[in-house]
Amino acid sequence: MFRKCLASLALGPVPSPLPLPRIAPIASQLIQSRAFHQVPRESRPPKILITGGLGQLGIECAKLLRTQYGSNNVILSDIIKPSQSVLENGPYIFADILDFKGLQKIVVDHRIDWLIHFSALLSAVGEQNVPLAVRVNIEGVHNVIELAKQYKLRIFVPSTIGAFGPDSPRNPTPNVTIQRPRTIYGVSKVHAELIGEYYYHKFGLDFRCLRFPGVISSDPPGGGTTDYAVAVFHEALRHGKYTCYLRPDTRLPMMYIEDCLRALLEFMRAPNEQLKRRVYNVTAMSFTPEELFAQLGKHVPNLHVTYKPDSRQLIADAWPQVFDDSDARRDWHWQHKYDLVNLVDFMIKDVQDNYINVQPEQQTLQI
């Protein structure tokens, strides 16, 4: 994963993956190998706090932001004990999003300017523990929104395709439409969107939110409905087979993690006057399990796939099939770089380099 997210700042088409030394610093690799797109910076680099930092997006987001603003200006936080490699990459602190006074102390002590709030229980996990999902996904959002208002922070809260429901138009799903999700994850995300917009209109809070599709990275699956598109790479490259919990024709919007984090960075840097709304759809592609497995099968010729749909199929059936992100492309010039072919090429390399072709002692250091 040392190569992953910083490539997203490069200009031009995405090339096929090339072998890279696993020990080389990611920033130096990419500055040497690709044109490095510098976006104009603020007069003083923002001090950034990332909550829920040990999830799928947090560690890679911190790496990306540190190349732009300096290692000491990006503080990763969570309630989980970090690995040694996390500690070596920059500041890490304990932060419980349900402890408001503790959050206040962090903001004051570290002079925080931006807050990127990743703490959440995902769709499938949230359905298994609704009370906990309410506390983390709703009470936690209340805390960080109020914190951002009190200290005049710029705050980013991600939303999701799961914020839509069976009454929403599915192909395409526009930026503004009926939502009414039927999972606690989706309900909590709609709540976050609305409370953030309310604080923007009522108090002038600089609230920013992107609705992400399924985000694909080499990190092992974390409990999301779209995680089949991650799990299949691990299983196919290790065992040559995979059992999919969705039907072969289940079309969902997706995005490679480098596109996802580049969208976040560009959105956070966008001047307020460019933003016609506070919540935007962003996406890169839409595909079905069958389409993904066919592309993967070109690299794993004897891949054997079986389909056993479970409760996650009901969730997926209520979600968008194709995401309309034309507002983001118009207002702040969002453009994705990775399509299905690029995605499969880079995922194979990422999973092999970081999980398959590593020594046992190295494996324990993977994030």
Side-chain angles (χ1 to χ4, degrees):
M1 257 175 295
F2 295 98
R3 182 196 45 75
K4 271 203 284 194
C5 300
L6 302 178
S8 57
L9 293 177
L11 296 173
V14 177
S16 297
L18 297 173
L20 294 174
R22 296 187 66 253
I23 60 173
I26 178 171
S28 62
Q29 290 177 20
L30 291 160
I31 290 171
Q32 292 170 9
S33 64
R34 303 184 184 184
F36 197 68
H37 177 48
Q38 291 289 352
V39 182
R41 302 186 182 196
E42 296 81 357
S43 58
R44 177 182 71 83
K47 199 72 176 287
I48 305 168
L49 175 67
I50 302 174
T51 67
L54 298 188
Q56 181 190 21
L57 298 181
I59 293 170
E60 295 299 327
C61 182
K63 289 180 183 178
L64 174 58
L65 293 174
R66 284 166 178 162
T67 67
Q68 300 296 294
Y69 298 117
S71 178
N72 290 332
N73 287 320
V74 181
I75 301 173
L76 203 60
S77 73
D78 211 314
I79 60 172
I80 303 170
K81 184 178 180 180
S83 68
Q84 185 62 33
S85 57
V86 168
L87 296 176
E88 291 170 354
N89 278 318
Y92 177 88
I93 61 174
F94 175 91
D96 181 355
I97 61 165
L98 299 178
D99 176 9
F100 187 74
K101 286 188 177 297
L103 293 174
Q104 286 179 305
K105 187 176 189 307
I106 290 170
V107 169
V108 171
D109 288 350
H110 296 277
R111 301 181 67 240
I112 299 299
D113 302 300
W114 291 6
L115 198 163
I116 297 176
H117 180 62
F118 285 145
S119 296
L121 294 190
L122 300 183
S123 54
V125 174
E127 291 305 291
Q128 297 168 14
N129 194 336
V130 172
L132 182 60
V134 169
R135 292 198 68 209
V136 173
N137 294 10
I138 295 179
E139 292 179 31
V141 164
H142 283 185
N143 280 344
V144 296
I145 290 282
E146 184 61 30
L147 187 76
K149 176 181 79 85
Q150 185 176 105
Y151 293 101
K152 297 180 172 55
L153 311 180
R154 178 173 296 180
I155 182 170
F156 176 83
V157 179
S159 189
T160 167
I161 55 173
F164 297 93
D167 297 322
S168 308
R170 301 185 66 207
N171 189 356
T173 302
N175 213 98
V176 178
T177 188
I178 189 170
Q179 292 183 252
R180 305 191 69 81
R182 293 186 181 176
T183 65
I184 190 59
Y185 178 61
V187 168
S188 69
K189 288 301 184 180
V190 172
H191 170 269
E193 295 176 13
L194 294 178
I195 197 71
E197 288 184 338
Y198 172 79
Y199 269 65
Y200 167 73
H201 291 292
K202 178 74 172 178
F203 304 111
L205 175 66
D206 190 354
F207 169 80
R208 304 183 182 209
C209 176
L210 295 178
R211 294 190 190 113
F212 290 132
V215 177
I216 302 174
S217 74
S218 64
D219 292 318
T225 300
T226 58
D227 276 353
Y228 83 88
V230 174
V232 67
F233 288 94
H234 289 266
E235 295 300 314
L237 293 174
R238 281 195 172 97
H239 309 298
K241 59 183 180 179
Y242 178 64
T243 300
C244 183
Y245 52 79
L246 298 180
R247 293 192 311 269
D249 62 346
T250 305
R251 184 170 301 280
L252 292 167
M254 299 284 187
M255 175 181 272
Y256 186 47
I257 189 170
E258 289 186 9
D259 271 341
C260 170
L261 295 180
R262 181 171 54 85
L264 188 159
L265 176 61
E266 292 178 0
F267 185 51
M268 287 296 282
R269 283 177 160 173
N272 249 322
E273 57 269 20
Q274 283 188 358
L275 306 181
K276 303 299 189 293
R277 58 181 76 257
R278 311 314 296 183
V279 181
Y280 286 91
N281 295 349
V282 289
T283 191
M285 66 194 92
S286 289
F287 56 73
T288 66
E290 190 172 47
E291 291 167 350
L292 174 62
F293 302 158
Q295 185 63 34
L296 179 56
K298 296 177 182 179
H299 302 267
V300 186
N302 297 319
L303 176 62
H304 178 68
V305 176
T306 56
Y307 295 92
K308 293 184 180 179
D310 61 19
S311 59
R312 287 167 284 191
Q313 183 68 55
L314 298 176
I315 297 174
D317 286 342
W319 283 2
Q321 295 177 322
V322 176
F323 229 13
D324 178 359
D325 62 356
S326 56
D327 285 2
R329 294 173 188 269
R330 178 198 65 214
D331 291 353
W332 46 279
H333 314 301
W334 160 243
Q335 292 289 335
H336 71 277
K337 293 183 178 177
Y338 290 83
D339 59 15
L340 179 58
V341 174
N342 300 136
L343 167 71
V344 170
D345 289 346
F346 277 90
M347 277 293 291
I348 288 172
K349 177 169 177 55
D350 284 343
V351 172
Q352 286 178 333
D353 286 354
N354 294 291
Y355 294 97
I356 307 297
N357 301 330
V358 294
Q359 298 300 320
E361 62 269 21
Q362 293 176 307
Q363 186 76 50
T364 63
L365 297 178
Q366 294 300 312
I367 313 288

